């Protein structure tokens, strides 16, 4: 598997730059101050029309935790269907139970509804009580990527856990280190973690 770079972008201009600089994929978000929420229909549609590289909009109706009520859950499902219809390559989404565990049933449902496009579990993963159990849940659900800092503030700080996650995954799912990944530390992260994708 070749090395892959995903760029988090908050506007169409950044998406165009990411493609020009040979990124492999864009995670398209809105509201950087809130850590990223679902971008608008118009933004997703226009970005899809303007870039040829893979596009994974974040599906997150609000900031804070990833435990959603029934109304927010309905919004998530509708937004995933919208991304599929607009020709996105995948979505970045995470859903937790009230206790912080990954919601296995909802993640399986998301993968089924999103098909044939891919599903990345976003950094909801970094708020779980047990990452090893959460990883197996996501593999069983059919997710293709886990975006994680190794449960630390930044990926470099979580490099030991990231390495263990890569080893546990064993190629069944891609572990994608994210948060604080920069040109000055990505080479060290590659050596420390063995991951093949970076955010």
């Amino acid at each position: 598997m070749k090395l892959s770079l995903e760029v988090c972008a908050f506007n169409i201009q950044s998406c165009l730059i990411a493609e020009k600089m040979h990124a492999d994929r864009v995670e398209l978000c809105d509201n950087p101050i809130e850590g990223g929420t679902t971008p608008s229909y118009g933004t997703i549609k226009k970005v899809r029309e303007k870039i040829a590289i893979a596009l994974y909009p974040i599906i997150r109706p609000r900031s804070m935790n990833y435990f959603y009520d029934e109304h927010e859950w309905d919004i998530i499902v509708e937004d995933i269907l919208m991304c599929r219809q607009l020709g996105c390559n995948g979505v970045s989404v995470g859903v937790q139970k009230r206790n912080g565990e990954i919601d296995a049933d909802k993640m399986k449902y998301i993968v089924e509804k999103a098909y044939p496009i891919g599903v990345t579990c976003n950094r909801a993963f970094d708020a779980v009580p047990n990452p090893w159990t959460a990883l197996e849940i996501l593999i069983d659900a059919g997710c293709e990527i886990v975006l994680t800092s190794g449960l630390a503030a930044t990926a470099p700080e979580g490099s030991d856990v990231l390495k263990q996650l890569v080893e546990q995954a064993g190629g069944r799912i891609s572990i994608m280190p994210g948060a604080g990944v920069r040109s000055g530390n990505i080479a060290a992260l590659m050596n420390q973690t063995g991951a093949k994708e970076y955010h």
Side-chain angles (χ1 to χ4, degrees), residues 57-135:
I58 192 171
I59 306 298
R60 191 180 180 210
R62 57 162 171 78
S63 61
M64 306 299 288
N65 61 47
Y66 297 86
F67 175 75
Y68 300 110
D69 67 21
E70 60 181 299
H71 306 297
E72 292 167 328
W73 170 244
D74 289 342
I75 291 168
I76 287 168
V77 173
E78 290 297 328
D79 283 342
I80 288 169
L81 294 176
M82 171 189 70
C83 289
R84 193 181 72 186
Q85 291 161 1
L86 288 175
C88 297
N89 304 90
V91 292
S92 178
V93 59
V95 184
Q96 292 174 300
K97 297 179 180 179
R98 193 177 293 275
N99 64 5
E101 295 175 355
I102 293 293
D103 192 317
D105 292 339
K106 283 188 167 60
M107 290 305 294
K108 284 182 182 179
Y109 186 82
I110 283 170
V111 171
E112 291 170 3
K113 280 294 186 182
Y115 185 83
I117 69 174
V119 175
T120 294
C121 179
N122 61 22
R123 291 191 65 203
F125 185 86
D126 288 322
V128 299
N130 186 317
W132 325 115
T133 300
L135 182 60

